[in-house]
Amino acid sequence: MPPISHRRLSRRAFLATSASGAVFAACGGATTAAVAPTPASAPSARYALPGLRYPFDALEPHIDAKTMEIHWDRHHRAYVNGLNSAIEAAPELATRPLEALLADLSSVPENVREAVRNHGGGHYNHAIFWDTIGPDGGGLPTGRLLDDLVSAFGSFEAFRDDFHAAAMSVFGSGWAWLCTRPDGTLALHTTPNQDTPLADGLHPLLGVDVWEHAYYLHYQNERGRYVDHFFEVVDWNAVALRREGAASAALSDGRATARVR
Ligand code: MN
């Protein structure tokens, strides 16, 4: 992995990057040492904005630098801050993995349930998003992931068409996903707003953010063109790692993630 370049990152972003001991972290009391609050967070904050492993302009021309900067530094940061506020209001949640909260929102106290759903989901979804795109993306997956996509969808091209159609089918803000079902087979899924596939019993491998904030500066209303270009930055190795359970194993021991990749 090449070293993270900070040339396009602000001082604050640099600090956030170097402090990103955790993506979904903060959960699992035994690993709290891995959690480093971002400078913008309150001292008691438990979740941190994960660092990007590439500069803001690394995904051009597919995703422009300004969109990356605003999306990561403002939108994602706001979700992290909102999640931390919810945890402060219901501290008993701090010892539970974020995935567990999102998979069973009914177990979250009602006073913070919507905040965990929206901000916790926003943090979770965006961490996956940054992790599964990159400057070396595009092309096709290989190995088992490619074989399973062909089995499930007929061909890689058919998968891409179906994923694209799913992304276009989202009315308003939301996400389209490639997920695994509990039996390990692949499925497409969509979620509104910042809902996660976890709440529907699915494990997300790859998601395209179709909120307008993800593409409007460069593509305006042309969501379809944005989704076409999204495929040029998908990091299939990262998707395959999620498939192989590396990410989920890390998540379940509470450490996920110390890196975005
Ligand atoms: Mn977003």
Side-chain angles (χ1 to χ4, degrees), residues 113-153:
R113 190 176 301 158
E114 279 306 293
V116 169
R117 178 181 182 177
N118 294 329
H119 296 286
H123 173 44
Y124 181 79
N125 291 340
H126 285 85
I128 293 172
F129 186 68
W130 310 130
D131 186 32
T132 49
I133 57 178
D136 300 320
L140 274 68
T142 56
R144 182 181 160 217
L145 179 58
L146 178 60
D147 293 344
D148 290 351
L149 284 168
V150 171
S151 297
F153 299 96

mmCIF file of all heavy atoms in Angstrom, residues 113-153:
data_model
loop_
_atom_site.group_PDB
_atom_site.id
_atom_site.type_symbol
_atom_site.label_atom_id
_atom_site.label_comp_id
_atom_site.label_asym_id
_atom_site.label_seq_id
_atom_site.Cartn_x
_atom_site.Cartn_y
_atom_site.Cartn_z
ATOM 1 N N ARG A 113 -32.725 6.273 19.260
ATOM 2 C CA ARG A 113 -32.825 5.281 18.173
ATOM 3 C C ARG A 113 -32.687 5.923 16.791
ATOM 4 O O ARG A 113 -31.952 5.437 15.936
ATOM 5 C CB ARG A 113 -34.145 4.523 18.276
ATOM 6 C CG ARG A 113 -34.209 3.326 17.324
ATOM 7 C CD ARG A 113 -35.489 2.532 17.531
ATOM 8 N NE ARG A 113 -35.570 2.043 18.904
ATOM 9 C CZ ARG A 113 -36.718 1.697 19.523
ATOM 10 N NH1 ARG A 113 -37.871 1.818 18.876
ATOM 11 N NH2 ARG A 113 -36.697 1.267 20.762
ATOM 12 N N GLU A 114 -33.392 7.018 16.578
ATOM 13 C CA GLU A 114 -33.315 7.657 15.260
ATOM 14 C C GLU A 114 -31.926 8.238 15.006
ATOM 15 O O GLU A 114 -31.425 8.216 13.879
ATOM 16 C CB GLU A 114 -34.378 8.742 15.116
ATOM 17 C CG GLU A 114 -35.752 8.193 14.770
ATOM 18 C CD GLU A 114 -35.739 7.301 13.518
ATOM 19 O OE1 GLU A 114 -35.490 7.817 12.405
ATOM 20 O OE2 GLU A 114 -35.965 6.078 13.671
ATOM 21 N N ALA A 115 -31.310 8.739 16.064
ATOM 22 C CA ALA A 115 -29.957 9.292 15.902
ATOM 23 C C ALA A 115 -28.960 8.188 15.567
ATOM 24 O O ALA A 115 -28.084 8.362 14.713
ATOM 25 C CB ALA A 115 -29.531 10.027 17.173
ATOM 26 N N VAL A 116 -29.085 7.051 16.208
ATOM 27 C CA VAL A 116 -28.184 5.935 15.905
ATOM 28 C C VAL A 116 -28.454 5.426 14.494
ATOM 29 O O VAL A 116 -27.531 5.137 13.726
ATOM 30 C CB VAL A 116 -28.345 4.805 16.950
ATOM 31 C CG1 VAL A 116 -27.617 3.533 16.503
ATOM 32 C CG2 VAL A 116 -27.825 5.271 18.313
ATOM 33 N N ARG A 117 -29.724 5.350 14.152
ATOM 34 C CA ARG A 117 -30.080 4.887 12.803
ATOM 35 C C ARG A 117 -29.474 5.809 11.729
ATOM 36 O O ARG A 117 -28.853 5.349 10.776
ATOM 37 C CB ARG A 117 -31.604 4.869 12.679
ATOM 38 C CG ARG A 117 -32.119 4.460 11.319
ATOM 39 C CD ARG A 117 -33.649 4.509 11.337
ATOM 40 N NE ARG A 117 -34.204 4.086 10.071
ATOM 41 C CZ ARG A 117 -35.519 3.968 9.830
ATOM 42 N NH1 ARG A 117 -36.393 4.249 10.804
ATOM 43 N NH2 ARG A 117 -35.945 3.582 8.662
ATOM 44 N N ASN A 118 -29.658 7.107 11.915
ATOM 45 C CA ASN A 118 -29.225 8.053 10.885
ATOM 46 C C ASN A 118 -27.724 8.343 10.939
ATOM 47 O O ASN A 118 -27.034 8.299 9.915
ATOM 48 C CB ASN A 118 -30.001 9.360 11.010
ATOM 49 C CG ASN A 118 -31.477 9.160 10.691
ATOM 50 O OD1 ASN A 118 -31.834 8.309 9.882
ATOM 51 N ND2 ASN A 118 -32.341 9.933 11.334
ATOM 52 N N HIS A 119 -27.223 8.660 12.127
ATOM 53 C CA HIS A 119 -25.807 9.037 12.229
ATOM 54 C C HIS A 119 -24.906 7.805 12.334
ATOM 55 O O HIS A 119 -23.824 7.771 11.736
ATOM 56 C CB HIS A 119 -25.596 9.968 13.417
ATOM 57 C CG HIS A 119 -26.314 11.277 13.255
ATOM 58 N ND1 HIS A 119 -25.879 12.255 12.397
ATOM 59 C CD2 HIS A 119 -27.459 11.751 13.809
ATOM 60 C CE1 HIS A 119 -26.716 13.285 12.438
ATOM 61 N NE2 HIS A 119 -27.683 12.999 13.275
ATOM 62 N N GLY A 120 -25.352 6.806 13.069
ATOM 63 C CA GLY A 120 -24.577 5.562 13.114
ATOM 64 C C GLY A 120 -24.555 4.903 11.745
ATOM 65 O O GLY A 120 -23.521 4.433 11.270
ATOM 66 N N GLY A 121 -25.710 4.896 11.101
ATOM 67 C CA GLY A 121 -25.775 4.347 9.743
ATOM 68 C C GLY A 121 -24.930 5.163 8.791
ATOM 69 O O GLY A 121 -24.220 4.624 7.931
ATOM 70 N N GLY A 122 -24.966 6.480 8.935
ATOM 71 C CA GLY A 122 -24.166 7.341 8.073
ATOM 72 C C GLY A 122 -22.679 7.083 8.244
ATOM 73 O O GLY A 122 -21.923 7.010 7.270
ATOM 74 N N HIS A 123 -22.253 6.920 9.473
ATOM 75 C CA HIS A 123 -20.833 6.619 9.734
ATOM 76 C C HIS A 123 -20.465 5.255 9.135
ATOM 77 O O HIS A 123 -19.476 5.122 8.410
ATOM 78 C CB HIS A 123 -20.582 6.635 11.240
ATOM 79 C CG HIS A 123 -19.210 6.187 11.624
ATOM 80 N ND1 HIS A 123 -18.068 6.602 10.963
ATOM 81 C CD2 HIS A 123 -18.779 5.347 12.609
ATOM 82 C CE1 HIS A 123 -16.999 6.031 11.527
ATOM 83 N NE2 HIS A 123 -17.412 5.267 12.509
ATOM 84 N N TYR A 124 -21.278 4.287 9.382
ATOM 85 C CA TYR A 124 -20.996 2.926 8.907
ATOM 86 C C TYR A 124 -20.969 2.873 7.381
ATOM 87 O O TYR A 124 -20.031 2.344 6.777
ATOM 88 C CB TYR A 124 -22.076 1.996 9.463
ATOM 89 C CG TYR A 124 -21.907 0.550 9.089
ATOM 90 C CD1 TYR A 124 -20.995 -0.253 9.765
ATOM 91 C CD2 TYR A 124 -22.663 -0.030 8.066
ATOM 92 C CE1 TYR A 124 -20.836 -1.593 9.422
ATOM 93 C CE2 TYR A 124 -22.513 -1.356 7.727
ATOM 94 C CZ TYR A 124 -21.599 -2.133 8.413
ATOM 95 O OH TYR A 124 -21.438 -3.452 8.072
ATOM 96 N N ASN A 125 -21.983 3.438 6.756
ATOM 97 C CA ASN A 125 -22.075 3.375 5.294
ATOM 98 C C ASN A 125 -20.907 4.106 4.628
ATOM 99 O O ASN A 125 -20.326 3.620 3.653
ATOM 100 C CB ASN A 125 -23.392 3.991 4.821
ATOM 101 C CG ASN A 125 -24.593 3.149 5.212
ATOM 102 O OD1 ASN A 125 -24.461 1.960 5.501
ATOM 103 N ND2 ASN A 125 -25.764 3.765 5.237
ATOM 104 N N HIS A 126 -20.569 5.271 5.159
ATOM 105 C CA HIS A 126 -19.487 6.034 4.532
ATOM 106 C C HIS A 126 -18.129 5.382 4.746
ATOM 107 O O HIS A 126 -17.260 5.437 3.873
ATOM 108 C CB HIS A 126 -19.503 7.484 5.020
ATOM 109 C CG HIS A 126 -20.611 8.283 4.404
ATOM 110 N ND1 HIS A 126 -21.883 8.289 4.911
ATOM 111 C CD2 HIS A 126 -20.644 9.049 3.275
ATOM 112 C CE1 HIS A 126 -22.654 9.053 4.135
ATOM 113 N NE2 HIS A 126 -21.931 9.516 3.138
ATOM 114 N N ALA A 127 -17.925 4.771 5.900
ATOM 115 C CA ALA A 127 -16.642 4.083 6.120
ATOM 116 C C ALA A 127 -16.449 2.974 5.089
ATOM 117 O O ALA A 127 -15.351 2.779 4.563
ATOM 118 C CB ALA A 127 -16.586 3.537 7.545
ATOM 119 N N ILE A 128 -17.525 2.256 4.793
ATOM 120 C CA ILE A 128 -17.446 1.223 3.751
ATOM 121 C C ILE A 128 -17.187 1.869 2.388
ATOM 122 O O ILE A 128 -16.377 1.385 1.600
ATOM 123 C CB ILE A 128 -18.745 0.401 3.711
ATOM 124 C CG1 ILE A 128 -18.888 -0.409 4.998
ATOM 125 C CG2 ILE A 128 -18.772 -0.525 2.486
ATOM 126 C CD1 ILE A 128 -20.234 -1.100 5.140
ATOM 127 N N PHE A 129 -17.869 2.965 2.142
ATOM 128 C CA PHE A 129 -17.733 3.656 0.850
ATOM 129 C C PHE A 129 -16.278 4.039 0.582
ATOM 130 O O PHE A 129 -15.705 3.687 -0.454
ATOM 131 C CB PHE A 129 -18.641 4.891 0.870
ATOM 132 C CG PHE A 129 -18.740 5.644 -0.428
ATOM 133 C CD1 PHE A 129 -19.370 5.087 -1.531
ATOM 134 C CD2 PHE A 129 -18.234 6.933 -0.540
ATOM 135 C CE1 PHE A 129 -19.491 5.808 -2.727
ATOM 136 C CE2 PHE A 129 -18.347 7.658 -1.725
ATOM 137 C CZ PHE A 129 -18.975 7.082 -2.822
ATOM 138 N N TRP A 130 -15.643 4.747 1.515
ATOM 139 C CA TRP A 130 -14.246 5.179 1.308
ATOM 140 C C TRP A 130 -13.326 3.982 1.166
ATOM 141 O O TRP A 130 -12.324 4.029 0.465
ATOM 142 C CB TRP A 130 -13.742 6.048 2.467
ATOM 143 C CG TRP A 130 -14.613 7.181 2.885
ATOM 144 C CD1 TRP A 130 -15.012 7.482 4.158
ATOM 145 C CD2 TRP A 130 -15.182 8.202 2.047
ATOM 146 N NE1 TRP A 130 -15.808 8.602 4.143
ATOM 147 C CE2 TRP A 130 -15.928 9.057 2.874
ATOM 148 C CE3 TRP A 130 -15.155 8.449 0.670
ATOM 149 C CZ2 TRP A 130 -16.627 10.166 2.382
ATOM 150 C CZ3 TRP A 130 -15.855 9.540 0.167
ATOM 151 C CH2 TRP A 130 -16.570 10.384 1.029
ATOM 152 N N ASP A 131 -13.654 2.933 1.872
ATOM 153 C CA ASP A 131 -12.774 1.766 1.912
ATOM 154 C C ASP A 131 -12.818 0.959 0.618
ATOM 155 O O ASP A 131 -11.867 0.256 0.288
ATOM 156 C CB ASP A 131 -13.199 0.873 3.086
ATOM 157 C CG ASP A 131 -12.246 -0.290 3.297
ATOM 158 O OD1 ASP A 131 -11.040 -0.128 3.022
ATOM 159 O OD2 ASP A 131 -12.713 -1.354 3.728
ATOM 160 N N THR A 132 -13.892 1.043 -0.114
ATOM 161 C CA THR A 132 -14.062 0.157 -1.269
ATOM 162 C C THR A 132 -13.973 0.913 -2.600
ATOM 163 O O THR A 132 -14.323 0.366 -3.639
ATOM 164 C CB THR A 132 -15.408 -0.602 -1.180
ATOM 165 O OG1 THR A 132 -16.444 0.332 -0.907
ATOM 166 C CG2 THR A 132 -15.356 -1.655 -0.093
ATOM 167 N N ILE A 133 -13.501 2.156 -2.525
ATOM 168 C CA ILE A 133 -13.141 2.874 -3.751
ATOM 169 C C ILE A 133 -11.696 3.340 -3.591
ATOM 170 O O ILE A 133 -11.181 3.417 -2.470
ATOM 171 C CB ILE A 133 -14.066 4.078 -4.051
ATOM 172 C CG1 ILE A 133 -14.086 5.078 -2.893
ATOM 173 C CG2 ILE A 133 -15.464 3.590 -4.380
ATOM 174 C CD1 ILE A 133 -14.960 6.316 -3.161
ATOM 175 N N GLY A 134 -11.042 3.622 -4.714
ATOM 176 C CA GLY A 134 -9.661 4.076 -4.619
ATOM 177 C C GLY A 134 -9.091 4.353 -5.992
ATOM 178 O O GLY A 134 -9.689 4.034 -7.022
ATOM 179 N N PRO A 135 -7.902 4.968 -5.975
ATOM 180 C CA PRO A 135 -7.283 5.373 -7.242
ATOM 181 C C PRO A 135 -6.855 4.199 -8.117
ATOM 182 O O PRO A 135 -6.636 4.372 -9.309
ATOM 183 C CB PRO A 135 -6.075 6.203 -6.790
ATOM 184 C CG PRO A 135 -5.826 5.806 -5.372
ATOM 185 C CD PRO A 135 -7.136 5.402 -4.800
ATOM 186 N N ASP A 136 -6.720 3.025 -7.530
ATOM 187 C CA ASP A 136 -6.333 1.862 -8.339
ATOM 188 C C ASP A 136 -7.537 0.989 -8.668
ATOM 189 O O ASP A 136 -7.402 -0.194 -8.978
ATOM 190 C CB ASP A 136 -5.286 1.031 -7.593
ATOM 191 C CG ASP A 136 -4.038 1.860 -7.298
ATOM 192 O OD1 ASP A 136 -3.641 2.644 -8.178
ATOM 193 O OD2 ASP A 136 -3.492 1.731 -6.185
ATOM 194 N N GLY A 137 -8.723 1.589 -8.562
ATOM 195 C CA GLY A 137 -9.934 0.800 -8.763
ATOM 196 C C GLY A 137 -10.297 0.622 -10.220
ATOM 197 O O GLY A 137 -9.543 0.953 -11.131
ATOM 198 N N GLY A 138 -11.488 0.100 -10.402
ATOM 199 C CA GLY A 138 -11.987 -0.146 -11.754
ATOM 200 C C GLY A 138 -11.701 -1.572 -12.195
ATOM 201 O O GLY A 138 -11.200 -2.400 -11.428
ATOM 202 N N GLY A 139 -12.046 -1.851 -13.415
ATOM 203 C CA GLY A 139 -11.822 -3.194 -13.937
ATOM 204 C C GLY A 139 -12.778 -4.208 -13.342
ATOM 205 O O GLY A 139 -13.897 -3.875 -12.925
ATOM 206 N N LEU A 140 -12.308 -5.424 -13.316
ATOM 207 C CA LEU A 140 -13.146 -6.517 -12.829
ATOM 208 C C LEU A 140 -12.539 -7.128 -11.574
ATOM 209 O O LEU A 140 -11.321 -7.088 -11.392
ATOM 210 C CB LEU A 140 -13.221 -7.634 -13.884
ATOM 211 C CG LEU A 140 -14.286 -7.528 -14.973
ATOM 212 C CD1 LEU A 140 -13.984 -6.376 -15.907
ATOM 213 C CD2 LEU A 140 -14.377 -8.843 -15.735
ATOM 214 N N PRO A 141 -13.389 -7.711 -10.743
ATOM 215 C CA PRO A 141 -12.841 -8.501 -9.640
ATOM 216 C C PRO A 141 -12.204 -9.769 -10.201
ATOM 217 O O PRO A 141 -12.304 -10.056 -11.396
ATOM 218 C CB PRO A 141 -14.073 -8.818 -8.784
ATOM 219 C CG PRO A 141 -15.227 -8.718 -9.720
ATOM 220 C CD PRO A 141 -14.847 -7.713 -10.770
ATOM 221 N N THR A 142 -11.571 -10.498 -9.325
ATOM 222 C CA THR A 142 -10.946 -11.745 -9.757
ATOM 223 C C THR A 142 -11.385 -12.866 -8.812
ATOM 224 O O THR A 142 -12.062 -12.616 -7.807
ATOM 225 C CB THR A 142 -9.406 -11.640 -9.706
ATOM 226 O OG1 THR A 142 -9.023 -11.277 -8.374
ATOM 227 C CG2 THR A 142 -8.897 -10.600 -10.694
ATOM 228 N N GLY A 143 -10.976 -14.059 -9.153
ATOM 229 C CA GLY A 143 -11.118 -15.185 -8.229
ATOM 230 C C GLY A 143 -12.547 -15.498 -7.856
ATOM 231 O O GLY A 143 -13.480 -15.386 -8.658
ATOM 232 N N ARG A 144 -12.702 -15.828 -6.592
ATOM 233 C CA ARG A 144 -13.995 -16.298 -6.114
ATOM 234 C C ARG A 144 -15.087 -15.240 -6.241
ATOM 235 O O ARG A 144 -16.241 -15.550 -6.558
ATOM 236 C CB ARG A 144 -13.845 -16.728 -4.643
ATOM 237 C CG ARG A 144 -15.116 -17.283 -4.049
ATOM 238 C CD ARG A 144 -14.933 -17.673 -2.580
ATOM 239 N NE ARG A 144 -16.251 -17.750 -1.933
ATOM 240 C CZ ARG A 144 -16.488 -17.363 -0.680
ATOM 241 N NH1 ARG A 144 -15.506 -16.870 0.057
ATOM 242 N NH2 ARG A 144 -17.698 -17.452 -0.177
ATOM 243 N N LEU A 145 -14.719 -13.980 -6.002
ATOM 244 C CA LEU A 145 -15.732 -12.931 -6.082
ATOM 245 C C LEU A 145 -16.283 -12.837 -7.505
ATOM 246 O O LEU A 145 -17.504 -12.753 -7.699
ATOM 247 C CB LEU A 145 -15.150 -11.590 -5.635
ATOM 248 C CG LEU A 145 -16.111 -10.402 -5.688
ATOM 249 C CD1 LEU A 145 -17.358 -10.646 -4.827
ATOM 250 C CD2 LEU A 145 -15.402 -9.117 -5.229
ATOM 251 N N LEU A 146 -15.400 -12.880 -8.487
ATOM 252 C CA LEU A 146 -15.871 -12.827 -9.866
ATOM 253 C C LEU A 146 -16.727 -14.054 -10.182
ATOM 254 O O LEU A 146 -17.813 -13.941 -10.773
ATOM 255 C CB LEU A 146 -14.685 -12.754 -10.836
ATOM 256 C CG LEU A 146 -15.062 -12.743 -12.320
ATOM 257 C CD1 LEU A 146 -15.949 -11.546 -12.656
ATOM 258 C CD2 LEU A 146 -13.806 -12.739 -13.207
ATOM 259 N N ASP A 147 -16.253 -15.220 -9.756
ATOM 260 C CA ASP A 147 -17.020 -16.444 -10.010
ATOM 261 C C ASP A 147 -18.425 -16.336 -9.424
ATOM 262 O O ASP A 147 -19.418 -16.718 -10.047
ATOM 263 C CB ASP A 147 -16.315 -17.656 -9.385
ATOM 264 C CG ASP A 147 -14.985 -17.965 -10.068
ATOM 265 O OD1 ASP A 147 -14.761 -17.449 -11.179
ATOM 266 O OD2 ASP A 147 -14.184 -18.709 -9.475
ATOM 267 N N ASP A 148 -18.501 -15.813 -8.199
ATOM 268 C CA ASP A 148 -19.801 -15.749 -7.531
ATOM 269 C C ASP A 148 -20.703 -14.681 -8.144
ATOM 270 O O ASP A 148 -21.932 -14.840 -8.181
ATOM 271 C CB ASP A 148 -19.611 -15.514 -6.029
ATOM 272 C CG ASP A 148 -19.033 -16.738 -5.335
ATOM 273 O OD1 ASP A 148 -18.947 -17.809 -5.988
ATOM 274 O OD2 ASP A 148 -18.655 -16.635 -4.159
ATOM 275 N N LEU A 149 -20.099 -13.592 -8.630
ATOM 276 C CA LEU A 149 -20.916 -12.584 -9.330
ATOM 277 C C LEU A 149 -21.495 -13.178 -10.613
ATOM 278 O O LEU A 149 -22.671 -12.949 -10.942
ATOM 279 C CB LEU A 149 -20.067 -11.340 -9.653
ATOM 280 C CG LEU A 149 -19.771 -10.404 -8.483
ATOM 281 C CD1 LEU A 149 -18.698 -9.384 -8.870
ATOM 282 C CD2 LEU A 149 -21.040 -9.690 -8.007
ATOM 283 N N VAL A 150 -20.669 -13.941 -11.319
ATOM 284 C CA VAL A 150 -21.154 -14.566 -12.549
ATOM 285 C C VAL A 150 -22.254 -15.565 -12.232
ATOM 286 O O VAL A 150 -23.289 -15.629 -12.918
ATOM 287 C CB VAL A 150 -19.976 -15.227 -13.310
ATOM 288 C CG1 VAL A 150 -20.486 -16.063 -14.472
ATOM 289 C CG2 VAL A 150 -19.003 -14.157 -13.799
ATOM 290 N N SER A 151 -22.061 -16.336 -11.168
ATOM 291 C CA SER A 151 -23.105 -17.300 -10.782
ATOM 292 C C SER A 151 -24.411 -16.609 -10.434
ATOM 293 O O SER A 151 -25.497 -17.060 -10.798
ATOM 294 C CB SER A 151 -22.662 -18.114 -9.556
ATOM 295 O OG SER A 151 -21.538 -18.860 -9.852
ATOM 296 N N ALA A 152 -24.296 -15.504 -9.713
ATOM 297 C CA ALA A 152 -25.506 -14.848 -9.212
ATOM 298 C C ALA A 152 -26.205 -14.016 -10.286
ATOM 299 O O ALA A 152 -27.440 -13.906 -10.279
ATOM 300 C CB ALA A 152 -25.147 -13.958 -8.015
ATOM 301 N N PHE A 153 -25.428 -13.408 -11.179
ATOM 302 C CA PHE A 153 -26.029 -12.442 -12.105
ATOM 303 C C PHE A 153 -25.901 -12.835 -13.571
ATOM 304 O O PHE A 153 -26.437 -12.159 -14.435
ATOM 305 C CB PHE A 153 -25.407 -11.055 -11.884
ATOM 306 C CG PHE A 153 -25.629 -10.527 -10.495
ATOM 307 C CD1 PHE A 153 -24.656 -10.689 -9.502
ATOM 308 C CD2 PHE A 153 -26.815 -9.887 -10.156
ATOM 309 C CE1 PHE A 153 -24.863 -10.217 -8.209
ATOM 310 C CE2 PHE A 153 -27.027 -9.409 -8.871
ATOM 311 C CZ PHE A 153 -26.050 -9.577 -7.897
#
